[in-house]
Every structure is written in C-alpha cells, then in structure tokens.
Amino acid sequence: MAKDGSDKLIAGHQVRRVRRRAGLTQAQMAARLAVSASYLNLIERNQRPISAALLLRLVEQFDLDPRALAGAGPGGGADALRRRLADPLFADLEIDRAELAEWIAAAPGAAEAFARLYDRGGGAAGPAADDPIARVRDEIGRWRNHFADLDAAAELLADELRLGSADLYGAIADRLRVRHALTLRILPVEVMPDRLRRLDLHARQLQLSEMLDPASRTFQAAFQLGAIEARGEIDALARGAGFADRAAERLFRRHLTSYFAAALMMPYARFLRACEATGYDIELLQRRFGAGFEQVAHRLTTLQRVGARGLPFFMIRIDRAGQASKLYAGASDAPLAMADGRCPLWRLHAAFERPGRVERDLVMLEDGSRWFTLARTVHPQGRRAGDVGAEFVVGLGVAAALAGDLALAQGIDLAGKATPIGLGCRACTRPECPQRAAPPGGRALLFNERERGVSPFSFADGGIGIIPDGNPG
C-alpha cells in the first residue's frame, strides 16, 4: 500500500481505475462521493490521502473491496519502479523521485506497461514472466511480508495454548490430537529416510522425522496446526493474490502457513517486547522462544503492526555460489534484499569460512545508503553422517542509522568507515573496484593499451557501445 509519512492511504491510481471502470467523469464520481471534483482530482494525483469516511463511501457506492485500494500501484509502486530504473541501461536518464512521481500520477497505465515489458525481458530488477517464485516474492513484497490477520490469529491461539501448558510443542500436539484427531509421532530415519514431515490421513498421524531438532519439530507441528486452523485467513490471502497458475498459488500458501507457524512460536507482542528489551539479541531470542537462527531472522522482517512496529530488517539466504533462495525486504526497502546480484566485498560471503559465527559488517551502497548487516551459516535439517550436506548463510540487515541500540552493533562506529559495495558487477558502476568480474551493463567499454587500472574494465559514464583506445571522439 502506498502511504505518506503519516500512514494515510494514498491510492490515486486505484481510485482512478475504479472511476474509469464505472464509466464516470471526475465530476460525476465526486458527486456520488459527496466531495468536490477538485478534491477528487488531487486524490487521483496522489496529492491527498483517502480519509476513513471517503473510504466507506467508496465501498458503499462502488461495492468495492477496500483491499483493492491497498495495492502498491502501477508496476508495484514507486519503489518497485525505482528499482527497475536503477538498471544501468537507464543511468544516463537521471530520473529523480519527483519526475517518477509525476509519471505515475499522470500516466499510471504507461508506468504499468513499462514494468510489465521490463519484467518480461528479464531485466535486472524484474522477474521473468513465467517464474512462479518471482511472482510469489512480488506478492510477499506487496504486503511487505506482514500479514496482520495471520499474526492476530496466531497470537490468540498462542495465548490459548499457554493456558494449558508452558510447553508449546506439547500443547500443539494435544491440540492436534483432541481437536483434530491427529496423533503426532516421531519416526526413525529408517522409516522416513527422505522426508521430514508427512501427514498420514489414513492413520490420522502427523509423522515427524527424528532428524529434526526441537525448534524444527515445534515449527513443523505448528505448520500443520496452522494449515487447519488458519485455513480461512490463508484462503482469503491466496484468493486476493489472484495468481494465474497453481504453482505460484501453492508456493504462496506454503509461505503463509510457515508465517503462521513462526507467529505461533513467536507471538507478535511478546516477541517485539523481547526484541526491544534485549537489543534484538538473536541468540537470546532463540533461547527464549525455542526457535532457530533462521526462524528468528525471518520473524524480524515481519514486525510492522500499526502502532507497534519493530526495526525494519531485511533478510537474505544464499548458498556458496551466491544464489539467493530467500529474499525478504520487509519494510526496509533495502536494495540488498531485492537485487539479483551480490557484491563479493560484502562480508555476507565470509560467513561460510567461519561456520556458526556471526559476521558483522557496515556497508555503503552507491546511492550513499549505509547498512549494518549480520550473517551466519545455517544447515537444513535431515542430514545423516556421510550424506552430502547443504549449507547456507542467512544475512540480516537494517539501516545503519537505526542500528545504534542493537546488541550486536556494540563496539562498531556506525557513522565511521563503511565498505563500499554494489549490487553485483553488472549493476555496479564503481570505477575502481579491484574485485570487479564484469563491466556494468549498458556502459561503453573504454580501452587504452598504454594504461592498466585497478579494475580490469574501464567504462564510460553512460551510453552503450565500445569506444576503442579510450578515445571518446
């Protein structure tokens, strides 16, 4: 949802779409809403927010689902369009925020068309049109990975379960058995050699592998309970996403069910209080809530309840090849969590060399933004001796200006020297990077056989093509 600094609803594009679908002029729609035509014009140009009273009239007059106004706008909104325009292909255009805002307000259809065309072409900032994972990530990003209905339902259930037992795992097992006639069984690896969880409806059993650690057993049990008891909320969110293919919808449902499970283990209000009291001490949060590092890291990206927001963290999970299998920007709008590429100078990668240790880093992007980041290795459940083992690094980050009270930021000068990094070589235009593996896309290469710089590639400030011998003329 597009918002101004006061959390008021800004939805000019969506209001204009409602008006045009109804075949009304601004004057006609304004009359039906009991507002002036000039005021409606300002709303459609995103220069005025929609009041609660006007929202109610829109719902009544046009049989409108209010969630339809919570869309991010054309192309996913200004932030998403800005990420696409950060492609080096457009570097010489120097489109600023004001110009982008004018474009969205004046020609939202054209902005949406640009976004679709760019994404279909597989640009640096956009997903391939037929990639269900990318489409699910876009939908999660539209909600900023905060699903208030799921949080509320999980919090109520967590409080109810605590009344019966302080042991959450035991309480979930009892709930599944008594209310849903499902017995929870832990099976040896010989019986479930290649599965961590299995629902056997014939035997009325939720079967978990003995290879799961306690935090993962609780999570898997909570996942199954959420699939049953939060089905209504999950169905509504999945329908609202409007995915055209089944694969994307099922991926999204799995994410929502996992979200509920994490919210059940780490109920919003209690978890946020613990974060603020401990300085977001991840190890202490793990112990207090019986969760794993990755579970806590993901939960930190979701703390965006109106009136009770946590710090806006982003999260990323990569393998040794730098491939990202999880990307959650949350409310951070961090380019680091949305870019296809990553910079090898970021100490996210160094965490592989120190398994189990938290790597801290202070980095600065080309736009001058500074980020405090944490990274640590994690290992998926289910590995046996002699098996090929998977290893990932989970990275967390927050704007450096907000990191002063973090327990893990103590001793670091957050205003001091930061490592200059980019968003992958093809998107980075830093000219003297010694780590560069490729020139930036859309920049003319420069050649001068008489000189050799720190970087193996020299390139022009803008434009496309090859200019020999470093002679721009």
Side-chain angles (χ1 to χ4, degrees), residues 181-197:
L182 283 175
T183 303
L184 201 156
R185 288 193 62 190
I186 307 298
L187 295 181
V189 68
E190 292 80 10
V191 178
M192 287 176 59
D194 57 355
R195 293 289 183 272
L196 299 179
R197 181 190 75 242

Side-chain angles (χ1 to χ4, degrees), residues 169-423:
Y169 175 77
I172 293 174
D174 287 343
R175 179 88 168 200
L176 288 169
R177 177 177 52 81
V178 173
R179 184 161 297 195
H180 304 293
L182 283 175
T183 303
L184 201 156
R185 288 193 62 190
I186 307 298
L187 295 181
V189 68
E190 292 80 10
V191 178
M192 287 176 59
D194 57 355
R195 293 289 183 272
L196 299 179
R197 181 190 75 242
R198 181 169 59 207
L199 178 63
D200 187 337
L201 290 175
H202 179 73
R204 301 300 300 172
Q205 289 181 354
L206 174 62
Q207 301 167 349
L208 302 181
S209 170
E210 66 178 347
M211 300 299 291
L212 293 171
D213 63 23
S216 297
R217 289 184 185 182
T218 302
F219 180 86
Q220 296 297 342
F223 183 96
Q224 184 59 55
L225 187 58
I228 299 171
E229 299 206 8
R231 182 174 180 178
E233 291 87 349
I234 292 170
D235 284 347
L237 288 165
R239 284 195 305 269
F243 292 116
D245 66 279
R246 183 66 171 156
E249 180 184 336
R250 295 185 73 172
L251 283 170
F252 188 51
R253 286 178 177 274
R254 186 168 69 184
H255 173 81
L256 295 174
T257 310
S258 296
Y259 185 105
F260 182 90
L264 186 60
M265 293 176 66
M266 295 166 274
Y268 194 102
R270 278 193 280 143
F271 185 73
L272 179 58
R273 285 197 300 269
C275 288
E276 294 174 341
T278 65
Y280 291 79
D281 187 325
I282 298 177
E283 185 174 352
L284 188 53
L285 293 171
Q286 287 181 246
R287 293 174 179 174
R288 186 169 297 183
F289 291 91
F293 182 89
E294 186 172 343
Q295 292 168 346
V296 171
H298 177 264
R299 188 62 170 141
L300 289 175
T301 70
T302 70
L303 302 180
Q304 299 157 57
R305 177 177 287 175
V306 175
R309 287 188 169 91
L311 290 180
F313 281 93
F314 71 82
M315 173 188 160
I316 181 172
R317 189 180 75 174
I318 64 168
D319 59 20
R320 282 186 175 268
Q323 302 171 115
S325 50
K326 290 187 178 181
L327 291 166
Y328 300 119
S332 71
D333 291 327
L336 289 166
M338 296 176 281
D340 288 337
R342 270 151 293 285
C343 181
L345 298 178
W346 185 13
R347 291 197 63 77
L348 176 76
H349 306 273
F352 283 111
E353 309 308 321
R354 302 176 66 187
R357 299 283 298 274
V358 174
E359 289 287 332
R360 306 183 297 171
D361 202 5
L362 182 65
V363 299
M364 181 173 66
L365 297 178
E366 288 187 86
D367 63 4
S369 62
R370 298 163 63 90
W371 302 87
F372 175 70
T373 68
L374 309 167
R376 206 203 78 172
T377 54
V378 296
H379 299 86
Q381 301 289 300
R383 179 185 178 185
R384 301 178 64 185
D387 288 348
V388 174
E391 184 179 43
F392 299 93
V393 160
V394 168
L396 271 174
V398 68
L402 303 176
D405 293 331
L406 296 184
L408 285 168
Q410 300 306 306
I412 293 182
D413 180 6
L414 296 171
K417 184 178 180 180
T419 304
I421 67 170
L423 300 176

